[in-house]
Every structure is written in C-alpha cells, then in structure tokens.
Amino acid sequence: MTNSELSAFSAADLTLEEKASLTSGANFWSTKAIDRVGVPSVFMTDGPHGVRKQTGSGDHLGLDDSVPATCFPPAVALGSTWDPELLVRVGTALGEEAAAEDVAVLLGPGINIKRSPLCGRNFEYLSEDPIVSGVLGSALVRGLQSQGVGASLKHFAANNQETDRLRVSADVDIRPLREIYLRGFQRVVTEAKPWTVMCSYNRINGVYASENPWLLTDVLRGEWGFEGIVVSDWGAVNNRVAGVAAGLDLEMPSSGGRTDAEVVAAVTDGSLDEAALDTAVDRLLQLAVRATAGRNPDAVYSVDDHHALAREVAGRSIVLLRNENGVLPLAADASAGTIAVIGEFARTPRYQGAGSSQINPTRLDTALEELRALAGGRSIEFAPGFSITTDAAAATDAAALTAEAVALAAASDVAVLFLGLPGDEESEGFDREHLELPAVQTELLDAVLAVTSNVVVVLSNGGVVRVSGWADRVQAIVEGWLLGQAGGGAIADVLFGSVNPSGRLAETIPVRLEDTSSYTDFPGEFGHVRYGEGLFVGYRHFDRHDLAVSYPFGHGLSYTTFTYSDASVAPVAGSDASGDLEVRVTVTNTGAVAGREVVQVYSTVEGSTVIRPERELKGFASVALEAGESAEVVVTIRREDLAYFHPIADRWVVEGAAVTFAIGASSRDLRATVSIDLVGDELILPLDADSTIGEWLEHPVVGQVLGAAMASAAGAGGEAGMFGDPAILKMMASMPIGRVASFPNSPISSEALDELINTVNV
Ligand code: BGC
C-alpha cells in the first residue's frame, strides 16, 4: 500500500484481532505489521545519546551488541551546555544516524528532573530545573525530528529514581507535580511535538503511569494537545486493558499475544469501549505514515564529522568549577615544565552510563593520548594511580600504584588527576548509596597533595560527587561528567585552552548528601516515595534554607571574565504587561581571550500569596564574545512560566504582582535586578459554606457588600458585635462561614448564606 493509501486507512478497515495486535509490539523493537492490508511495522531503538540498534537478540538493559554509532555526550553533559542551538545540532546528527540505520523512532530524550543526586540514572537526565530540561529537551527533539525520525520523550512522568522503579508510587502534590515534574514535558510536547511519549514504569499518586487517564489523556492530550502515540516503557504495562482505556497506544515489547487476547476479550464482553482501541489504532496508523514518509534509503552520515561534533559538544559541556592562580589553561610549551597525568580514567575513560542507553562507539578518544597530541612538546608522564577493575585478582596493589603516582607528581611541575566514579556505581536499574569518590582515589589525592600543591582534578561522573573536604586544597577542578566517545579530546582542549570552558552546572553540587532536599524521603519505603520537599527541589531548596553549597546551580568559570550592565525588562514588542517579557542586559568580555557566557534570569514574585521558592530560573541565553566585545543579550520570559498551578481552580494562574528578575552568572552570582508589575489572571473561586470568612471577604464581587453588612450588623450588639472589631475579625477570618451562620445572633443567617451562595456562584 502506498503512503497516501495508508493515510486514508483507519481502524474501521481492520478486524478486532488486527486492531488489538497493532497496539502491542511484534518483538523487542518493532510494532506489528498487518500484511493482509499492507500496514508496515515501525522500528524503534534506544536512545538517547546515540543509536543503539541491535541486530541480534534484543534487550532493554544494554547487554547485547549493537551496531557502531557515535556516542554523543549523555544528557548530564548536554544539560551543562545550556545551549539549545547546540542541542538542535546534536539532535540533527542523531537523526542522521538513525535514518542511516533505518530507525523510525529513537527512544529519547529523557528529561526527568534530578530530584536526588542519588538517582542512578541522573546521567541520562538534563537538570534539576524544569526550564533547563524543557528548553534543551525541546531542542533535541526538534533536531532529531528534522531528519524524519521520531523522538520518544521519556519517562512520563515522575520517574525520579531507579529503586523499585517498576512499582513505586511517586506521591507528589499537584503543585510540584505540575510546576517541577511536568513543566518540562509540557514545554517539549507543546513546542517540539514529539512523535511519541514514553510513559514511565512507576505509579503516580497510586496509579500506574501506563494506565493513568488523567496523565495520558486529560493532561497530555486534553491540555497540551499531544497528537502522537504513547508507548509504554519496556515492560511498564500492568493492565493492558486499563492502559488502552487510559490512553496508552502501544505496549512494548511484545507480550507474545497474551495481552492482545485480553484486549479482544474486553472489547467483546463490553468492559473496554472499542472506540478507545480504535483511537489508539488510528494514532498508530498515523505513526506508520510518518515513519514511512520519513524513511530515507539514501541516508548516510560521516563518522568523522560526527566524532568532531561529539568533541565540540563535549568541550561545551565541561564545567570549570575552580581555577586558582590561573593554573589553567596549561601552556602547550616545552619550557612550561613537565605534566604528570595521574588516574586510570585518563587512559580508560568513563564516557557513558550503564543500561539501555549504552552505545557501541565508532571510536574512543582517551584524554592521555589527546593531551599528548596537544602538549606542544611538553613532557607528559602517566601513572594510573588506582585500578578500576572489578576483578580482584587482576587489580594491582593499591599501595604500589599510589607510590608510583606520588613519585611522578613530586617530579613534575603540575599534576593532573583524573578521578571519578567507577562504572558499576551508576547505572539504570539501581540508585547510588552515597556521593563519595572511592576512598582509594581520595587517599591518592591526599598523598599527591602532600608532595605538590600544583594539582588539577578532572572528574568523570554521571551524577554529582562530594567535593567538599578536598576542593579548596587543589588549584583547579574540571567537571568532566560523562562526555561521550570524544570526551578525551574535549578534556585536552579545555586543559590546554583551545576551548575556553563555558559549561554551567544544571544541578547543584551540595556540601553533603544530608543537605539535599529529598534526603529523608528517598527512595521511599513500602512501595511509596513521598515528595515531601514539594517545590523545593535542587537550588530552590538550598536557597530556601540558606544552605551553603559546594558549587551552586548555574555555576561555571571561564578563562575570561564578564561584566553585566544596562539591565532592563519590558513586555515583548507589540505586547503589554499581560504578555511575554524580555529581559535585556549588556554583557562585556573583560578578559584577554574569547569566551562564552550563559546569562541566567531568576524570578521572585514580590508578596506572592502562595508558596514560592525564593528564586526560580525563568530563562537563559548563551552568548559568545571576543575579548573586549560587548553584546546586548535578550532573554525571553514566557508569561506561562511565571504562573503557578492553582490546585482548586485546577489551572495555571499568573499573579498580579511585582516580579523582580535577578540576572546573573549563577543562582548565587546575581549581577543586576529589574522589576515589572504583572497584570494578573482573573481568579474567582467558587464559594460555599465551607469557604472561610476571609475568603468571602476577599471575593471581588460580594466581598465588600458582605463586609459592610457584617459590620453594620455588628451595631446591633450581642455576638454579632464581634464583627465590628477588626482584631476579632482577623481571628475569625479562618472560620468557615457556614459555622458562623449557625451561631446565635450571627450577622448572617443560614438562609441568607444559602441565598448568597446561589448568587455568588452563578
Ligand atoms: C528504559 C527505557 C528504554 C527501554 C528500551 C527501559 O528499561 O527505561 O529508557 O528506552 O528500556 O530499552
């Protein structure tokens, strides 16, 4: 059948059994074809930072082989670029590789919020902040889909831990659910229109994501207008029939026909409305149309070009946390003395995390070789310093390795130590238990510091590690995350200064695990994890409690310096204070080399009537400036991002209030503030006998009349006299009006109240 014939095709053309079969996979990676009528199968594969196409047996844990593909930097690194334009390029390159492998849907990006630094899969997620996650996730999807390859935005939703991930209920209040955990998804869905959304394994407030009609239908489709398909995470289906009814279109992987039969039986006995199945089938047919239209049998990509892009992006992901006395960049000049490169990770890089995202790279750079290539004749000697093998028999004696490294450091002019987390400590499938580097590494660092103070630490880690205790004893710290297959070259670029670091932390590095917001509520117990910190996730928590951090959200140094001037805020052209806003600031590169600054804009709603974090990121922009150059940077602030979610009105509300925007280089390096009065959204809540006197008096229509009536009734004496006294009124403001109406001598009778309720709610 041609694609236009397929477009005209619908569920009505299929038998019940065919329809049921279409909504569950054929095998590990494909949907079922329906040969009778020529509906093609759609092929999906992981994702997110490369194409993991398996040609032999399939698995969802990254165990079996896959074809070589470029391993781009994982999300932990991409998040630190704060640069949507760069991520469009990454997405485009991923799309080119997927197209070349005839992959119709690439399973990513993952944009879950990093609620706890212990989440084993934080390396696959972008940020602790929904604006960063949403803006960058949207860029990845746009790039990918520009190549005719669909994205699968995952894991929808509130999948913020690995412990018990297939069953645990994330118990989250509606405001944090909307404002923190769903906000990024909302942005990507509405802005980038992913072909598919992957529902998560877990339950949300008791209901499995895969069978949650509120999540999959009311919010995703009803509110956000999603028109693609919802696919289950691999094995996330608990009750397929309930899933279809809730808005789950596709179960993956195959259930071998078992759940197809359940769907057929449910339609036959009337417990599942056939219309729900038809809706899912029609959406799957549209996916097949899109996949067919997107196919490009001529698609090829250049391994070299993509490796070069992977290096560029890795260089942009590195965060320079500390740089004392200008120790970095290192001079590429033989006369600058000798360099000791210490640490097994310089020779055996950690460049991606374990699990379903594990890519078989087309090549792999090591920092050691790349440093030597850029050293300009400067001598580089290497000592592994510690062993990373898990094979006890093969591990070399730790004391001997330390001694060798210390001797090398003592004989060199500078020691660059490559430290990081062992690969088996962070993976899909389980969470971390602590934030510590292995003791063998911190002991090595101490031993090296005993013989030289000229120490640079390069970190390789997918989730943050504790640096307090040693950070202020070294000259420089280069946060190298997991940087993908070209990360070794990127580290060399940054150390020798051919790349001026511009990465910024998309997550806070706390002083201690005990300081983090979810410390007492992670990973939960007895099947539930309570998100007790509410809105106060990441920097929102540290700022609320005024806690010291090792390095704040948004932090990252450069080899140059920037100043900020002439800040302003105004409605975007052609709009008024009830539309989107633009924050403008002039940034000047005041140093001697070209560099890139990330301008961050944080909002504070003055006198807010609801709980709000002290500061929340609302927009950012990355700008490249030559030495001495100035540029005006414009950051658009979307009105909807200033809204909070009203739990009773069940909608977003912008408060009519003054909003202050703090503009800065990190959440704790704020350089300028500007304010604007916002025009608020109208909010009139229904009132009833349970509404308090205070709520009634605040009502814009009846409030004043009621107040006057109550005050004049006060003149009559008795109980009602209380209402004439503002101090007593203040005490009584929290009483439901219905209770007061039944008091003797109440200024408002029960009958009058009933009448008032009828009038006010029309
Ligand atoms: C992961 C998904 C992945 C899927 C397919 C699951 O275990 O959670 O992120 O896309 O497997 O491999």
Side-chain angles (χ1 to χ4, degrees), residues 358-374:
Q358 200 157 301
I359 304 304
N360 176 15
T362 56
R363 61 182 69 149
L364 184 58
D365 290 347
T366 72
L368 182 57
E369 278 174 26
E370 299 299 323
L371 281 166
R372 285 188 166 136
L374 294 186

Side-chain angles (χ1 to χ4, degrees), residues 633-644:
V633 176
V634 182
V635 180
T636 303
I637 310 292
R638 306 188 318 170
R639 178 175 171 86
E640 63 199 270
D641 290 332
L642 297 171
Y644 71 94

Side-chain angles (χ1 to χ4, degrees), residues 29 46 52 60 107 121 154-155 165 198 201 233-234 356 428:
W29 299 116
D46 285 308
R52 185 173 73 93
H60 65 304
L107 303 175
R121 223 172 166 182
K154 65 191 188 182
H155 305 91
R165 68 173 166 157
M198 184 190 292
Y201 286 124
D233 197 348
W234 268 230
S356 62
E428 176 176 346

Side-chain angles (χ1 to χ4, degrees), residues 75 182 197 242 251 355 388 415 433 440 472 480 520 569-570 671 678 715:
L182 295 183
V197 165
E251 173 192 49
I388 55 173
E433 289 170 9
V440 65
D472 56 2
T520 53
V569 59
R671 309 281 183 89
L678 286 185

Side-chain angles (χ1 to χ4, degrees), residues 403-600:
E404 178 199 15
V406 169
L408 177 62
S412 306
D413 292 290
V414 60
V416 182
L417 259 70
F418 284 75
L419 307 180
L421 289 176
D424 59 3
E425 274 193 29
E426 44 184 354
S427 164
E428 176 176 346
F430 57 88
D431 292 313
R432 295 164 65 199
E433 289 170 9
H434 55 75
L435 301 183
E436 306 300 314
L437 287 171
V440 65
Q441 294 185 29
T442 48
E443 283 160 17
L444 171 71
L445 176 61
D446 286 341
V448 167
L449 281 167
V451 298
T452 173
S453 57
N454 212 17
V455 171
V456 173
V457 170
V458 178
L459 290 172
S460 298
N461 49 309
V464 296
V465 294
R466 187 172 71 85
V467 299
S468 58
W470 59 262
D472 56 2
R473 291 189 286 136
V474 301
Q475 294 289 320
I477 307 175
V478 174
E479 176 53 270
W481 305 123
L482 305 178
L483 290 172
Q485 68 180 46
I491 290 170
D493 291 338
V494 164
L495 290 179
F496 280 119
S498 52
V499 165
N500 186 352
S502 60
R504 301 288 184 266
L505 291 178
E507 58 196 297
T508 310
I509 302 183
V511 174
R512 328 173 294 164
L513 175 63
E514 291 86 335
D515 294 341
T516 59
S517 61
S518 57
Y519 181 63
T520 53
D521 263 332
F522 183 95
E525 60 175 0
F526 304 119
H528 289 264
V529 53
R530 170 96 192 114
Y531 287 32
E533 69 282 5
L535 298 168
F536 297 95
V537 180
Y539 67 91
R540 291 166 167 80
H541 160 80
F542 296 108
D543 287 351
R544 176 62 141 207
H545 296 276
D546 201 14
L547 284 171
V549 298
S550 284
Y551 294 102
F553 177 80
H555 170 77
L557 302 175
S558 164
Y559 296 149
T560 187
T561 46
F562 301 95
T563 56
Y564 290 52
S565 58
D566 300 327
S568 64
V569 59
V572 293
S575 176
D576 57 19
S578 60
D580 293 347
L581 305 174
E582 272 175 359
V583 170
R584 290 169 184 267
V585 67
T586 299
V587 180
T588 304
N589 179 346
T590 48
V593 290
R596 186 176 271 279
E597 175 69 323
V598 177
V599 175
Q600 303 160 36

